[in-house]
Amino acid sequence: MLLIGAGALGSQVAETLMRTGVRDIDVRDRDELAAGNLCRHALDLTMIAVNKAAALAAQLNRLQPDGRARGDDRAFPTVGPDGPENADDYDVILDCTGENKLLRSLSMIPWKSEKTVHLPLCKLGRAGSHVLVISGRIISGS
C-alpha cells in the first residue's frame, strides 16, 4: 500500500490501518513536521523538524513490530529521464495530500494493472469516495 501525504489526515489513516492489520505501508511526503501541525497530527513534539514520512514510518514500525512501514521524502510520482515512476508494486494508493495536482500526476503513470486510488470526497467535487486508475485512464467510482 502506498500512502501519499503524511499530514494530519495521512498520519491518522496510517496509524488506523497499521493497528487494524495492514502490515506493509510506504509513506510519501516531502514536508517536515511543524509545531502548528501538532494539534491534529499523530506525531508528537519530539518529531518537530523531522520529515513527516520518515517520522510516521518509524512510529508505525513501533506500533506493530511485525509491520513494515517505509518513509520517503520524495514527491509521488517522481519523474526521471525515463518518465514517471511506476506504481506496479502497489495494489492500493491512498491520497491524503489535499492537493488536486496529484490526480493529474497519477494519470501520467504507465499503469500495467488496475489500481484503486482512494481520494478525499472533496477532490472529486461530487459524492464519491474513490477513483480507479486503469491503464492511465481515470474512471470515477463511488
Side-chain angles (χ1 to χ4, degrees):
M1 174 179 297
L2 174 62
L3 185 135
I4 307 167
L9 176 62
S11 66
Q12 300 295 339
V13 168
E15 274 202 3
T16 300
L17 288 169
M18 193 63 89
R19 290 177 188 274
T20 58
V22 173
R23 294 291 179 255
D24 190 9
I25 300 176
D26 284 354
V27 181
R28 290 278 189 97
D29 199 307
R30 296 175 59 187
D31 293 336
E32 293 179 350
L33 187 68
N37 300 134
L38 294 177
C39 63
R40 57 192 180 277
H41 206 283
L43 295 174
D44 63 30
L45 186 63
T46 64
M47 295 298 164
I48 288 181
V50 175
N51 172 264
K52 290 178 183 179
L56 182 58
Q59 181 165 313
L60 296 174
N61 288 324
R62 284 190 301 274
L63 286 174
Q64 291 294 347
D66 61 335
R68 185 177 66 104
R70 290 168 309 282
D72 191 328
D73 65 356
R74 295 176 298 153
F76 184 86
T78 57
V79 180
D82 298 326
E85 69 181 296
N86 73 45
D88 291 325
D89 294 340
Y90 306 107
D91 294 323
V92 176
I93 299 172
L94 298 173
D95 173 14
C96 297
T97 64
E99 298 176 3
N100 289 325
K101 67 181 179 180
L102 180 62
L103 187 56
R104 288 186 295 277
S105 296
L106 289 172
S107 69
M108 297 178 352
I109 296 173
W111 301 100
K112 294 181 181 171
S113 62
E114 182 173 310
K115 304 289 178 190
T116 300
V117 180
H118 290 270
L119 302 166
L121 293 175
C122 60
K123 289 208 174 196
L124 296 175
R126 63 180 187 81
S129 63
H130 69 274
V131 296
L132 297 180
V133 179
I134 304 171
S135 299
R137 289 188 356 244
I138 298 173
I139 302 171
S140 61
S142 58

